[in-house]
Amino acid sequence: MSETIKYLLDESHLPKFWYNIAADLPSPPPAVLHPGTRQPVGPDDLAPLFPMALIMQEVSTEREIEIPEPVRQIYRQWRPSPLYRARRLEKILQTPARIYYKNEGVSPAGSHKPNTAVAQAFYNKEAGIKRISTETGAGQWGSSLSFAGALFGIEVQVFMVRVSYDQKPYRRALMETYGARCVASPSMETNYGRSVLAADPGSLGSLGIAISEAVEVAATHDDVKYALGSVLNHVLLHQSVIGLEAIEQMGMANDYPDVVIGCAGGGSNFAGIAFPFIGLQLRGGRKVQVIAVEPAACPSLTRGKYAYDFGDTGCMTPLTKMHTLGSNFMPSGLHAGGLRYHGMSPLVSHCKELGLLEARAYHQTPCFEAAVQFARAEGIVPAPESSHAVRAAIDEALKCRESGTSKAILFNLSGHGHFDMQAYIDYFEGKLKDQPYDQNALDKSLSALPVV
Ligand SMILES: *Cc1c(COP(=O)(O)O)cnc(C)c1O
C-alpha cells in the first residue's frame, strides 16, 4: 500500500508534495459566496486578504502540489513527526487493538499548526507582504504564525480573544518572544472592535469577533494580508503532510489502520491525518473508518446545520457551506479553546455529507480522564483539544476488548498540553463542569443564519 505514495516522499521520508483531496472527491464542495453579492467568489475577490499563491491552492483541484524547498527546509527541523505504537497503553487497557499515534506536539510551537503557518508565511513573503494579521483563541495559532513570521522576517499582528489574553499570559509571552504584536480583542484598533466595545465595554471577545478585526486590518491595508489557522482548503492541504507521513510510517510498521481518529475544531489536524487515507480509499484502496471528535459544548458536526454561514461575527468573510452552529453561537465554558469555533471546514463538512467520515462529541471530563491515562502510560501530556482524540481511540480499543477483535487504531496527537496545565489542575481539583450546549441559544443562533 505504501508504494502508492512513495513517490510523494523524499529519501528522508519527508513529503515533497501536499495532497489535495479535491482531486479525488466524487463531487466538488458547494461554491464559496461573496458576503455582499451572495454570488460565487473568484480569485480576485479574495486578493485583498490572501496572496495569490494561496488563493490558487484554495481553488485547486490538482491532486499533488509541490512543497517549496524553503518550506521543506523548515519542516525538516521536526518532520517527519514521530509515529508511535502505544504498547504500554494497550497493555493497561488489556485490549487486542493496536493503537498508533502521530505526535504533532514535537513542533517548536507544540502543535500541528506550524505545518500551515510556515507555508503561509513563505507565500506572503514571496508576494512582498510586510505584515500578517490574524486572530487567536487560546493562542496556539497565534504562536505558530508568530514563529513562522520570525523565520521569514514578516511582522505578525495577533488579535487575541480578550478572555484568553487575560487568562493565558504564557501564550502571549510566547508570541511576543517570537516578535509578534499581540492585542486583546475586541480592541480599539478597528472599526469593528470599537463598535463591539461601544455596545459592550466589558466584552470578553470571541473567535468570531477577533477574525472580523484581523480581516478588517488586512482589507484596509495594501501591505497587510490575513492568515487563518484552520477551516480553509489551503490550510487542510498543508496539513496533509501528517497523513502522508503516517501512511508511510504505518507501512514501515507493516500495518494499516482500520480506524483513523482526529479531534476537530475547524477540522485541519483531523483532515491532515485523515484525508490522505480517505484519498487512497477513493482511489480503490482499503476502506477506513474515519472519526472526527468534537466537544459536546461546541458540536458543529454532530448538532450543527449544514448551511451557508459566515466565518466571523462581523459578517465580513465569504459565505461557505459547512456544518455550523451559527456565527453568533457562544460555546459555554470549555478548556479546549482550539475547538471553540462555530463552524467546520467546508471540505470536512462535504466529506461528512458524502458519508466518508463520521463524527462524535464528548464532554471534557471523560477527555481529561483519557488524557491522564494516556500521559501515565506514554509520558506525553496531550493538549486539551487532542484529549478528544485520545478519548475516542481508547473507547475504540475498549470496544475491541469487549468484542475480542483486533483492529489497528491510528489517532493524531495534535499537540502537547504544557501551556494548558491550569486545565489539568482544574480537572484534578474536580472543578471541570460538563456543560452541554444551550439548545435555546443554538436554535436562536441557527435562526439567524444568512439567507442565500
Ligand atoms: C488549534 C488546535 C486544534 C483545533 O484545530 P483544527 O483546525 O481542528 O485542527 C486541535 N489541537 C490543537 C493542539 C490545536 O492547537
Side-chain angles (χ1 to χ4, degrees):
M1 185 60 77
S2 66
E3 288 306 314
T4 48
I5 62 133
K6 268 239 159 74
Y7 72 100
L8 291 173
L9 311 174
D10 69 11
E11 47 307 321
S12 62
H13 309 284
L14 185 76
K16 289 187 283 193
F17 299 87
W18 288 300
Y19 166 67
N20 181 11
I21 197 170
D24 291 320
L25 289 175
S27 63
V32 175
L33 306 181
H34 190 279
T37 64
R38 313 259 155 128
Q39 295 300 308
V41 296
D44 289 342
D45 295 314
L46 298 172
L49 296 187
F50 304 106
M52 201 40 83
L54 289 174
I55 296 172
M56 295 324 282
Q57 291 181 358
E58 189 65 20
V59 298
S60 172
T61 51
E62 295 279 309
R63 181 174 293 123
E64 286 106 26
I65 295 178
E66 194 169 356
I67 307 176
E69 188 50 34
V71 173
R72 299 178 76 242
Q73 281 293 348
I74 296 168
Y75 279 176
R76 279 196 187 91
Q77 188 184 345
W78 71 94
R79 307 210 69 85
S81 69
L83 181 134
Y84 299 103
R85 171 126 178 228
R87 289 187 189 271
R88 291 186 297 264
L89 181 65
E90 290 170 14
K91 212 164 164 193
I92 290 166
L93 298 173
Q94 297 181 317
T95 175
R98 304 180 302 286
I99 306 174
Y100 298 88
Y101 60 97
K102 184 93 167 133
N103 185 9
E104 289 296 311
V106 297
S107 79
S111 77
H112 65 288
K113 291 198 172 79
N115 296 334
T116 185
V118 168
Q120 293 192 48
F122 168 80
Y123 290 114
N124 274 287
K125 182 73 180 182
E126 287 267 281
I129 298 307
K130 299 278 182 289
R131 176 155 51 112
I132 304 178
S133 71
T134 196
E135 73 290 331
T136 200
Q140 291 104 322
W141 169 242
S143 42
S144 299
L145 191 69
S146 303
F147 156 64
L151 299 187
F152 288 102
I154 297 183
E155 277 177 52
V156 175
Q157 178 179 16
V158 184
F159 289 93
M160 186 173 191
V161 177
R162 164 59 77 181
V163 59
S164 303
Y165 184 91
D166 293 335
Q167 284 176 1
K168 307 209 162 158
Y170 294 150
R171 282 274 176 203
R172 197 196 334 155
L174 182 58
M175 291 183 248
E176 287 167 357
T177 303
Y178 288 134
R181 194 163 75 82
C182 189
V183 203
S185 165
S187 78
M188 293 298 285
E189 300 199 7
T190 64
N191 285 331
Y192 187 69
R194 285 187 289 272
S195 75
V196 173
L197 286 173
D200 176 11
S203 171
L204 296 177
S206 72
L207 213 46
I209 294 171
I211 294 175
S212 295
E213 289 205 88
V215 166
E216 183 183 320
V217 171
T220 52
H221 294 80
D222 281 345
D223 58 349
V224 184
K225 297 280 183 216
Y226 169 69
L228 191 60
S230 185
V231 177
L232 299 178
N233 302 348
H234 67 265
V235 178
L236 274 54
L237 174 80
H238 302 153
Q239 294 297 352
S240 67
V241 289
I242 303 172
L244 292 172
E245 290 172 6
I247 289 171
E248 170 77 359
Q249 290 165 321
M250 289 297 295
M252 288 173 173
N254 252 320
D255 212 340
Y256 195 80
D258 299 294
V259 188
V260 177
I261 298 169
C263 67
S268 74
N269 90 86
F270 163 74
I273 193 152
F275 279 7
F277 286 98
I278 295 177
L280 285 184
Q281 176 187 317
L282 288 168
R283 300 199 301 282
R286 245 174 79 176
K287 189 163 166 39
V288 277
Q289 182 189 7
V290 177
I291 308 173
V293 192
E294 59 184 12
C298 194
S300 53
L301 269 176
T302 52
R303 291 281 180 268
K305 199 167 161 183
Y306 185 52
Y308 273 101
D309 197 8
F310 293 103
D312 66 334
T313 313
C315 308
M316 293 176 209
T317 68
L319 288 156
T320 53
K321 194 159 186 188
M322 59 182 172
H323 289 90
T324 180
L325 301 166
S327 62
N328 287 312
F329 183 79
M330 288 282 182
S332 53
L334 167 68
H335 272 292
L339 304 182
R340 281 182 75 104
Y341 190 59
H342 69 273
M344 179 53 62
S345 135
L347 271 176
V348 170
S349 293
H350 185 56
C351 286
K352 168 122 189 302
E353 292 300 299
L354 291 172
L356 295 169
L357 57 91
E358 59 192 84
R360 191 179 284 184
Y362 284 117
H363 281 295
Q364 56 183 353
T365 312
C367 293
F368 276 98
E369 189 190 321
V372 169
Q373 189 170 36
F374 179 82
R376 289 176 188 175
E378 300 294 316
I380 299 170
V381 180
E385 292 83 3
S386 318
S387 75
H388 290 71
V390 179
R391 176 76 268 164
I394 290 180
D395 282 359
E396 288 304 305
L398 292 174
K399 273 191 217 159
C400 286
R401 183 172 77 187
E402 275 158 36
S403 61
T405 47
S406 173
K407 283 184 185 173
I409 300 166
L410 168 65
F411 75 90
N412 194 32
L413 191 80
S414 52
H416 68 65
H418 296 178
F419 283 98
D420 304 285
M421 295 318 291
Q422 187 60 46
Y424 279 84
I425 292 173
D426 292 349
Y427 169 70
F428 291 130
E429 292 179 350
K431 285 189 192 155
L432 285 197
K433 289 201 190 68
D434 283 343
Q435 287 167 299
Y437 63 93
D438 177 343
Q439 186 66 50
N440 286 336
L442 177 57
D443 291 343
K444 191 162 169 242
S445 169
L446 288 177
S447 71
L449 284 177
V451 181
V452 184

